[in-house]
Amino acid sequence: DKILKKSIDPTVHQMLARAQELGLETAWDRYEAMLPECGFGELGVCCRNCNMGPCRISPFEDAGPKRGVCGATADIIVARNLIRMIAAGAAAHSDHGRDLAHTLLMTAEGKGGGYEIRDEQKLQTLAAEYNISTEGRSKEEIALDLAGAVYAEFGKQEGPIRFSRRAPRKRVDLWQKLGIDPRGVDREIVEIMHRTHIGVDNDPVNLILQGLRASIADGWGGSMIATEISDVLFGTPKPTRSLANLGVLKADEVNIIVHGHEPTLSEMIVAASRDAELLALAAKLGAKGINVVGLCCTGNEVLMRHGIPIAGNFLQQELAVITGAVEAIIVDVQCIMPALGNLTGCFHTKFISTSPKAKFPGAIHIEFHEDQAYDIAKEIVRGAVENYRWRKPGQVVIPDEKVECLVGFSTEAILAALGGSLEPLLEQIKSGAIKGLAGVVGCNNPKVQHDFGHVNLVKELIRNNVLVVTTGCNAIACAKVGLMLPEAAAQAGDGLKVVCQSLGIPPVLHMGSCVDISRILTVCAAVASALGVDISDLPVAGAAPEWMSEKAVSIGSYVVSSGIFTVLGTVPPVLGSTAVTELLTTGAKEAIGATFAVEPDPFQAAQLMISHIEDKRAALGL
Ligand code: BF8
């Protein structure tokens, strides 16, 4: 019963029972051991920004300190802490984008150890956006200039970043008016760190505005660069069928999990797993093949582009190892639990770290370098194959569940499904068959029942004729329950059902990894510009029902800054300041045309989003 409350996913129930049987701990156990979590931290009123502290502000009206040693109030401390979260999240996404720019550069220079430019069409489009000439030039020449141009965006000291101009004119004007039209993301992040240093910016509103500015540089900069350059290098996703959940692991094959975020690594592991020599080695060791599966957002990347099955979302990473069927879990950066070191030590599983930026206790470090990408990937896969002989078949427990899904809905793929233009979608929105669009995204969090918020929020939205686009761990949750099949249209309201059936698409469209939320921005911007309105005028809403990472804080901030009302399912650490809480949940409306709401109940959250969408429809005269 206790286990049932932890997740709605039967594979989680089965594997948590297995963990108990083996005496192994998971994130859920560590979460319980942590309770009660620190109240000061939860409220955001703990400050460690200098060594006169740590200070914490008492939440009680008549007792305890109301100011830190420097005199900072709860409002200042909460605002500073929040924007430092944005800085970290924006840094993570954008450094991922930078790595992709680096890979493009190496590839253009002929030094990419196995990479090539797969989407020339997108290369041409981006080149045009950057005013790079393409006439009579090779794709490598164009890519060289493009890599230089996007590289320069990160450190841009003055003036706007290019992709931010994809936003409708009205939005850009608003950003300029508020002084939050961002420069390069590196500069905005540094400025957050500067302003939150002891004795610099002590105005909560001014601090939050800088947080928004950095987040916009992430969403319309670092993340968008990550998405676009990934498409150039690895191909823009197209509708592809695959499978989701732990049942994608195979009892008779070498199982390799790619986990983390950057497709530079996962793409090469997938390629190496098809190497004839390694397949022969696997056969020699008695395995029927090499089965690469994904976890988290790098899993989404190879799912979207190659139909590589996805084993699960964030909270399933330990459970995948506990199956005893994994020869190697290969990681790069972000959302990788350091707990994997101890855990893999209890099995034959090799835990392989590859990024110089991310080392883990108990991991074998095999550093990945783009110039020898294929060769290194091949050696990593070889190690995994050789490890098959140490698998203990008696210890293997693989859940049966694996569910079919149709994924790969990049902006381009959505346009193609619509017959080449957004017009049919706009018509359906105008007619009311589709009430509006919701972006539901984000992580898992053991504070709430795993996948419960994700799945129920999405189901409630489609039942009310709201088309859902999704990324990240929400997308994986939806795939696991069959919401990403065209047949799921049966669960949609009458209007949406007919639209999905006539187009042959699911009512929940997988748009990719977390950096691909930039695809959602691009779609919203295109729709708003087509209608001659701002994004904040559209019948659109966002949600992150089970978010936990700092990246999610940056995402929520740029989504709201782009004019999209956003509902959070877990509470951000801001409640210690009434001023900041009010600014984010009400004050932002006037300033930026959108707000945050916090609603842990997914059914209530859906109602908030639907009534927002209805208000926007009414205002547009629909
Ligand atoms: O990159 S993998 S837990 S942070 S949602 Fe959240 Fe999932 Fe992480 Fe976004 Ni993607």
Side-chain angles (χ1 to χ4, degrees):
D1 192 40
K2 223 176 137 201
I3 284 182
L4 292 181
K5 286 198 184 123
K6 291 187 164 67
S7 175
I8 60 164
D9 181 338
T11 72
V12 175
H13 305 151
Q14 183 181 352
M15 296 319 296
L16 284 180
R18 177 72 179 148
Q20 254 174 22
E21 200 178 297
L22 298 174
L24 300 171
E25 66 162 40
T26 65
W28 282 277
D29 303 304
R30 294 187 295 273
Y31 170 67
E32 270 165 30
M34 199 55 65
L35 295 175
E37 288 187 316
C38 171
F40 295 106
E42 271 179 349
L43 294 172
V45 291
C46 165
C47 181
R48 291 189 298 105
N49 293 11
C50 87
N51 204 29
M52 295 191 289
C55 298
R56 76 270 181 282
I57 305 300
S58 165
F60 303 108
E61 245 170 48
D62 44 5
K66 293 283 167 281
R67 287 172 190 280
V69 177
C70 72
T73 58
D75 295 338
I76 296 168
I77 293 173
V78 166
R80 284 199 303 223
N81 288 343
L82 182 70
I83 74 169
R84 280 198 170 196
M85 290 183 88
I86 295 176
H93 281 147
S94 299
D95 218 30
H96 165 171
R98 190 193 328 264
D99 281 349
L100 266 308
H102 177 69
T103 307
L104 183 68
L105 182 67
M106 305 275 282
T107 307
E109 286 175 339
K111 296 185 205 145
Y115 298 105
E116 51 185 303
I117 291 154
R118 295 253 173 81
D119 190 340
E120 274 193 67
Q121 176 60 47
K122 184 153 251 184
L123 177 70
Q124 298 272 347
T125 311
L126 296 176
E129 214 170 338
Y130 273 98
N131 298 321
I132 294 167
S133 72
T134 53
E135 258 318 278
R137 302 181 78 200
S138 73
K139 59 181 180 179
E140 285 75 20
E141 285 170 319
I142 302 168
L144 191 61
D145 283 356
L146 180 64
V150 293
Y151 239 145
E153 296 280 35
F154 293 91
K156 189 157 190 200
Q157 298 303 310
E158 294 298 340
I161 47 177
R162 185 67 51 128
F163 290 151
S164 68
R165 293 313 185 249
R166 290 178 175 183
R169 188 67 241 174
K170 286 183 179 170
R171 188 60 18 196
V172 172
D173 289 346
L174 190 59
W175 290 339
Q176 285 175 335
K177 197 178 106 207
L178 290 168
I180 59 171
D181 187 25
R183 302 154 298 184
V185 67
D186 291 355
R187 178 159 191 193
E188 303 306 355
I189 292 166
V190 166
E191 195 167 313
I192 286 184
M193 300 314 283
H194 179 190
R195 289 203 204 191
T196 55
H197 185 275
I198 158 82
V200 187
D201 197 354
N202 287 282
D203 179 304
V205 175
N206 210 40
L207 284 161
I208 298 288
L209 284 172
Q210 178 56 23
L212 300 185
R213 175 148 70 162
S215 76
I216 299 167
D218 171 5
W220 297 86
S223 284
M224 209 168 268
I225 290 172
T227 297
E228 298 290 30
I229 302 304
S230 295
D231 285 353
V232 170
L233 284 168
F234 309 122
T236 301
K238 295 189 196 69
T240 310
R241 286 220 169 223
S242 190
L243 293 165
N245 218 346
L246 287 173
V248 301
L249 293 168
K250 293 185 177 163
D252 52 5
E253 294 194 17
V254 173
N255 289 309
I256 296 177
I257 294 182
V258 285
H259 176 24
H261 280 73
E262 296 178 6
T264 26
L265 172 72
S266 53
E267 281 276 335
M268 278 299 162
I269 298 291
V270 170
S273 74
R274 292 167 180 164
D275 189 285
E277 186 202 337
L278 297 181
L279 286 166
L281 177 63
K284 203 173 119 203
L285 294 171
K288 291 224 170 90
I290 303 173
N291 182 37
V292 178
V293 301
L295 274 176
C296 286
C297 277
T298 210
N300 281 325
E301 299 275 0
V302 286
L303 170 72
M304 293 274 285
R305 295 199 177 87
H306 305 290
I308 295 295
I310 186 110
N313 48 13
F314 176 71
L315 277 176
Q316 286 173 287
Q317 57 187 284
E318 292 174 287
L319 309 181
V321 173
I322 294 170
T323 63
V326 178
E327 274 57 55
I329 180 161
I330 303 163
V331 303
D332 55 10
V333 290
Q334 303 168 21
C335 302
I336 302 142
M337 291 190 192
L340 289 177
N342 266 342
L343 185 66
T344 49
C346 304
F347 295 88
H348 75 301
T349 308
K350 284 189 180 183
F351 176 27
I352 301 169
S353 58
T354 60
S355 166
K357 298 173 198 168
K359 297 191 175 182
F360 299 82
I364 308 161
H365 190 72
I366 305 179
E367 206 151 292
F368 191 72
H369 298 283
E370 285 85 346
D371 57 346
Q372 306 151 48
Y374 187 78
D375 294 342
I376 297 172
K378 195 170 160 185
E379 281 327 294
I380 294 175
V381 174
R382 186 193 302 280
V385 172
E386 284 169 348
N387 198 25
Y388 184 73
R389 72 180 99 197
W390 302 111
R391 189 192 289 184
K392 300 192 182 76
Q395 267 199 19
V396 170
V397 176
I398 303 175
D400 289 335
E401 285 81 4
K402 50 174 184 270
V403 178
E404 258 200 273
C405 52
L406 178 64
V407 301
F409 289 94
S410 55
T411 312
E412 292 79 354
I414 292 176
L415 276 172
L418 292 168
S421 102
L422 282 173
E423 208 42 52
L425 177 66
L426 297 181
E427 283 313 314
Q428 298 300 345
I429 293 176
K430 284 181 190 161
S431 78
I434 296 178
K435 242 185 223 164
L437 206 72
V440 188
V441 304
C443 327
N444 295 141
N445 188 329
K447 284 182 176 173
V448 294
Q449 191 181 21
H450 169 244
D451 287 352
F452 176 83
H454 283 315
V455 168
N456 287 300
L457 175 59
V458 168
K459 281 188 176 169
E460 197 62 13
L461 289 167
I462 62 167
R463 212 170 58 76
N464 284 281
N465 295 310
V466 175
L467 177 65
V468 174
V469 291
T470 163
T471 64
C473 287
N474 175 276
I476 303 169
C478 291
K480 289 189 294 175
V481 294
L483 283 168
M484 283 178 178
L485 283 171
E487 297 86 296
Q491 298 180 53
D494 289 342
L496 179 60
K497 187 189 302 174
V498 172
V499 177
C500 290
Q501 284 169 345
S502 70
L503 296 171
I505 58 169
V508 182
L509 302 178
H510 194 328
M511 291 193 83
S513 62
C514 284
V515 292
D516 293 338
I517 292 170
S518 64
R519 298 189 199 273
I520 303 178
L521 295 180
T522 308
V523 172
C524 290
V527 172
S529 297
L531 296 173
V533 298
D534 193 356
I535 296 175
S536 56
D537 298 320
L538 299 177
V540 167
E546 304 179 22
W547 76 275
M548 61 85 198
S549 74
E550 290 169 312
K551 288 181 288 173
V553 181
S554 180
I555 293 168
S557 303
Y558 72 64
V559 170
V560 168
S561 299
S562 301
I564 301 172
F565 168 65
T566 299
V567 185
L568 304 175
T570 64
V571 186
V574 300
L575 298 186
S577 162
T578 318
V580 172
T581 306
E582 277 179 8
L583 179 65
L584 298 174
T585 55
T586 50
K589 174 119 188 180
E590 208 188 308
I592 201 131
T595 56
F596 283 100
V598 177
E599 178 49 72
D601 179 282
F603 302 97
Q604 300 285 343
Q607 283 318 312
L608 288 176
M609 295 166 79
I610 293 162
S611 68
H612 171 82
I613 285 172
E614 270 162 0
D615 288 350
K616 293 294 171 187
R617 292 184 62 88
L620 284 171
L622 298 177

